[in-house]
């Protein structure tokens, strides 16, 4: 791949002809000769086993590690220095994990205790970067899977950002603004000491949007006595946020899908689409799909899916979910002809394009079979790890184009990096300019994944391409830094 300036040591030696071998090179060549294909396979299995043993019960983290590490076999074969320096083993161990108590009082004065997390996974390419998730299902295994994915995703964007994730097992649903504020203030009262624009820069994720980021930023500013805009991203454009950040993950996802279709000589015009979720990612994916001439017939939340055959009414959706924070089934009050289904029944709806944009493991093998049987041509992940490994295998076998989250949803964090750039230069870019930058980044991410998949003998396998490109960028930096 042309974007890696450092050729492997073997390539360099070959280019320089018969350079005398020093002791270190001799040792290295011995290592290459010794590492056979079965050895590499065994080594990979050992790495996965060790991760499972050392991170007990963290099943989502195990799943994310297995997906990446198993795909790196051809990379270890081509670049043995990564095995020699134990780069994969090091990447699988977070650099730091912070767990803390978050006490807060509800509006009646009752005390509640939640658990807060921040996992700084890898800072080889820049400060830790990644969102905060507030959801009752959050525990260390979720935060670690998300942080691990973020390392490769952030590398794929080509921006100078490391990987991290955080959050709490706090449920913002049904809480008053004052309760959310008190929770966020308590959360930041511990977290602030671990953050900084050059250290760790959180953003939003499930349950954390502009409201929460406002309370978090306010408390950070108050405690530190610094207006350090670049310490959080996803801020409102009224106080240091970037235009397009709100739309970025959904828009970026659709740009990625556009590129996947372009390769196949197709466009989104007239395509029938199904999008799960109805949060930040889903709403703006729906918006961009509609702008590009697709028909979006269904979306969901954790209680229901809505099937509106004539095409979803986005204005009503946004008013319900973004402004009034209501349940999706209330959509039927405005469109009685729409159907209300169980959330998972969403995948039974015939479509050309399916975009899972809610949560992890929401699209399983059975759903994949149904999508394939109904003629679905493309699945791309707006959410993080929403497709189970068995479902991904089935989609690949059926030649359904599959866009993995760490590439397809990278537009959110890429625009966060653009927000950091604007904050660092005390500038504010126009919507048009920022969106153009986002579009360029998503095209580049697509092309890099596509090229790597082809180079490693699996054309069209974006999941493989994404893992290889993301891994190599981090690995090269880690090699350069030595054993740290
Ligand atoms: P939001 O909180 O805005 O929306 C989440 C949506 O998913 C809601 O519709 C929610 O339904 C649904 N959902 C959440 N958890 C579950 C669950 N356990 N079962 C069923 N439905 C669920 O979050 P985002 O839109 O920001 O995030 C969605 C996904 O995209 C996540 O996987 C996130 O990690 C990923 N992502 C987000 C980015 C961002 O910039 N925000 C960037 C890249 C990826 P309900 O309201 O009923 O809970
Ligand atoms: O999963 C993700 O990429 C995010 N939640 C966005 C992270 C960020 O720092 O913008």
């Amino acid at each position: 791949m042309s974007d890696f300036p450092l050729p492997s040591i073997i390539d360099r030696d070959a280019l320089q002809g018969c350079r005398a071998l020093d002791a270190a090179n001799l040792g290295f060549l011995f290592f290459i000769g010794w590492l056979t294909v079965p050895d590499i396979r065994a080594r990979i299995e050992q790495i996965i086993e060790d991760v499972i043993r050392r991170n007990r019960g963290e099943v989502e983290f195990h799943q994310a590690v297995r997906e990446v590490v198993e795909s790196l076999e051809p990379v270890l074969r081509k670049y043995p220095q990564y095995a020699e320096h134990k780069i994969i083993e090091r990447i699988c161990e977070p650099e730091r994990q912070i767990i803390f108590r978050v006490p807060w009082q509800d509006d009646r004065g009752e005390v509640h205790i939640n658990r807060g997390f921040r996992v700084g996974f890898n800072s080889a390419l820049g400060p830790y970067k990644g969102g905060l998730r507030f959801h009752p299902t959050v525990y260390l295994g979720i935060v670690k899977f998300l942080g691990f994915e973020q390392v490769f995703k952030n590398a794929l964007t080509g921006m100078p950002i490391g990987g991290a994730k955080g959050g709490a097992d706090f449920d913002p649903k049904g809480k008053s603004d004052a309760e959310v504020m008190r929770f966020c203030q308590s959360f930041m009262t511990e977290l602030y000491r671990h953050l900084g624009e050059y250290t760790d820069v959180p953003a939003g994720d499930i349950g954390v949007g502009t409201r929460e980021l406002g309370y978090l930023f306010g408390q950070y500013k108050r405690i530190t006595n610094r207006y350090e805009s670049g310490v959080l991203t996803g801020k409102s454009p009224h106080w240091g946020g970037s235009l397009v950040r709100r739309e970025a993950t959904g828009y970026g996802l659709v740009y990625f899908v556009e590129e996947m279709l372009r390769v196949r000589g197709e466009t989104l015009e007239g395509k029938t689409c199904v999008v799960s979720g109805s949060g930040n990612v889903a709403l703006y994916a729906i918006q961009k799909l509609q702008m590009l001439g697709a028909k979006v017939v269904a979306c969901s939340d954790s209680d229901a899916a809505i099937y509106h055959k004539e095409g979803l009414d986005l204005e009503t959706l946004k008013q319900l979910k973004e402004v009034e924070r209501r349940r999706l089934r209330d959509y039927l009050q405005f469109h009685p002809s729409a159907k209300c289904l169980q959330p998972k029944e969403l995948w039974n709806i015939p479509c050309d394009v399916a975009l899972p944009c809610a949560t992890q493991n929401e699209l399983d093998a059975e759903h994949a079979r149904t999508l394939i049987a109904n003629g679905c041509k493309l699945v791309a992940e707006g959410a993080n790890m929403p497709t189970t490994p068995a479902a991904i295998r089935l989609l690949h076998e059926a030649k359904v184009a599959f866009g993995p989250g760490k590439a397809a949803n990278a537009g959110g964090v890429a625009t966060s990096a653009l927000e950091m750039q604007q904050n660092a230069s005390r500038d504010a870019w126009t919507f048009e300019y920022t969106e153009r930058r986002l579009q360029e980044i998503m095209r580049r991410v697509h092309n890099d994944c596509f090229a790597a998949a082809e180079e490693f003998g699996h054309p069209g396998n974006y999941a493989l391409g994404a893992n290889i490109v993301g891994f190599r960028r981090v690995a090269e930096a880690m090699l350069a830094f030595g054993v740290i």
Side-chain angles (χ1 to χ4, degrees):
M1 280 163 284
S2 56
D3 56 345
F4 294 113
L6 290 178
S8 75
I9 292 172
I10 304 173
D11 295 343
R12 200 155 50 211
D13 282 349
L15 282 175
Q16 290 177 357
C18 304
R19 206 178 63 181
L21 290 172
D22 58 21
N25 274 341
L26 270 176
F28 185 64
L29 287 178
F30 172 75
F31 182 82
I32 299 165
W34 165 75
L35 209 62
T36 62
V37 171
D39 282 340
I40 292 176
R41 235 166 251 161
R43 174 91 171 249
I44 280 173
E45 263 321 302
Q46 189 60 54
I47 292 172
I48 295 168
E49 259 175 47
D50 288 348
V51 165
I52 293 170
R53 183 177 50 77
R54 300 178 73 229
N55 302 274
R56 280 184 203 190
E58 297 174 3
V59 289
E60 296 84 0
F61 180 47
H62 305 166
Q63 181 183 334
V65 167
R66 183 178 285 283
E67 193 273 329
V68 171
V69 174
E70 279 184 345
S71 71
L72 295 178
E73 187 187 317
V75 181
L76 288 193
R77 232 180 296 137
K78 188 161 181 189
Y79 304 103
Q81 62 268 41
Y82 300 148
E84 190 201 9
H85 294 275
K86 298 210 172 162
I87 298 291
I88 301 184
E89 289 88 332
R90 281 195 266 159
I91 281 186
C92 289
E93 181 67 20
E95 288 175 12
R96 65 176 64 154
Q97 308 181 50
I98 298 144
I99 304 180
F100 51 99
R101 182 171 69 198
V102 190
W104 58 281
Q105 276 181 299
D106 67 20
D107 290 343
R108 292 174 297 125
E110 192 182 331
V111 174
H112 297 265
I113 294 110
N114 285 100
R115 189 171 290 171
F117 302 88
R118 187 70 178 167
V119 173
F121 223 105
N122 194 295
S123 59
L125 293 177
Y128 301 123
K129 182 83 199 87
L132 297 171
R133 177 178 292 193
F134 291 170
H135 194 272
T137 56
V138 166
Y139 77 109
L140 191 57
I142 293 277
V143 180
K144 273 156 79 174
F145 115 66
L146 289 164
F148 184 76
E149 291 283 291
Q150 201 82 44
V151 172
F152 306 100
K153 181 196 304 190
N154 292 5
L156 271 170
T157 66
M159 312 295 280
I161 42 179
K165 206 78 185 194
D169 57 354
F170 170 75
D171 189 356
K173 263 197 217 103
K175 304 290 190 297
S176 69
D177 284 354
E179 288 171 330
V180 171
M181 178 185 77
R182 286 194 292 275
F183 176 81
C184 289
Q185 289 177 341
S186 180
F187 184 85
M188 187 52 95
T189 300
E190 173 56 34
L191 189 64
Y192 87 95
R193 70 189 85 246
H194 306 289
L195 306 183
E197 62 179 317
Y198 295 105
T199 309
D200 186 352
V201 182
D205 193 80
I206 291 177
V208 178
T210 318
R211 174 183 62 169
E212 289 73 20
L213 286 163
Y215 296 141
L216 291 165
F217 185 72
Q219 186 72 350
Y220 183 87
K221 182 174 86 60
R222 181 187 190 193
I223 296 174
T224 59
N225 192 34
R226 283 160 64 87
Y227 202 110
E228 191 186 336
S229 294
V231 75
L232 289 175
T233 63
K235 302 179 296 293
S236 161
H238 298 302
W239 40 272
S242 173
L243 292 172
V244 189
R245 177 61 189 89
R246 181 182 58 174
E247 294 83 359
T249 312
Y251 278 22
L253 170 66
V254 176
Y255 291 140
F256 194 90
V257 168
E258 249 195 324
E259 295 304 306
M260 291 172 77
L261 288 171
R262 197 194 304 278
V263 169
R264 299 183 153 210
E266 294 185 48
T267 70
L268 274 166
E269 182 76 41
K271 294 271 188 304
T272 300
C273 306
V274 160
V275 176
S276 68
S278 47
N280 172 266
V281 179
L283 289 175
Y284 290 95
I286 295 170
Q287 182 165 81
K288 187 51 86 178
L289 286 169
Q290 292 183 342
M291 287 164 79
L292 295 172
K295 184 159 120 183
V296 190
V297 296
C299 67
S300 60
D301 65 10
S302 54
D303 295 334
I306 294 293
Y307 179 32
H308 195 171
K309 212 172 169 186
E310 290 73 38
L312 291 171
D313 165 6
L314 183 62
E315 283 320 303
T316 299
L317 274 178
K318 283 172 76 174
Q319 180 65 26
L320 280 175
K321 298 301 288 187
E322 228 179 18
V323 182
E324 297 176 24
R325 299 177 191 276
R326 285 166 67 182
R327 305 312 295 156
L328 185 61
R329 60 164 53 95
D330 293 347
Y331 182 89
L332 263 66
Q333 293 170 9
F334 303 88
H335 294 283
S337 68
K339 284 202 179 81
C340 189
L341 313 169
Q342 289 301 311
K344 300 261 175 171
E345 288 179 317
L346 183 88
W347 309 119
N348 298 341
I349 299 168
C351 62
D352 302 304
V353 171
L355 305 182
C357 296
T359 194
Q360 62 277 353
N361 291 327
E362 54 166 316
L363 198 168
D364 64 19
E366 196 188 316
H367 304 133
R369 277 190 207 98
T370 310
L371 285 168
I372 294 162
N374 285 338
C376 176
K377 305 270 185 338
L378 187 152
V379 173
E381 299 183 322
N384 286 307
M385 208 171 74
T387 320
T388 65
I392 296 173
R393 257 193 310 278
L394 288 170
L395 295 172
H396 277 143
E397 280 164 21
K399 303 262 183 290
V400 174
F402 175 71
K406 55 176 91 64
N409 73 36
V413 75
T415 308
S416 278
L418 299 180
E419 183 171 330
M420 290 164 75
Q421 261 185 47
Q422 291 169 75
N423 293 152
S425 57
R426 300 183 187 277
D427 199 357
W429 303 343
T430 64
F431 193 96
E432 293 70 25
Y433 175 73
T434 316
E435 192 183 8
R436 202 159 60 241
R437 292 284 300 264
L438 167 64
Q439 194 167 14
E440 281 164 11
I441 292 168
M442 293 314 294
R443 286 198 178 134
R444 193 153 19 87
V445 171
H446 171 275
N447 294 346
D448 289 348
C449 296
F450 189 83
E454 209 155 58
E455 181 189 337
F456 282 83
H458 294 273
N461 188 333
Y462 290 96
L464 182 82
N467 290 345
I468 291 175
V469 176
F471 171 77
R472 284 214 60 213
R473 289 196 179 141
V474 180
E476 286 300 327
M478 288 177 72
L479 274 183
F481 296 157
V483 181
I484 58 166

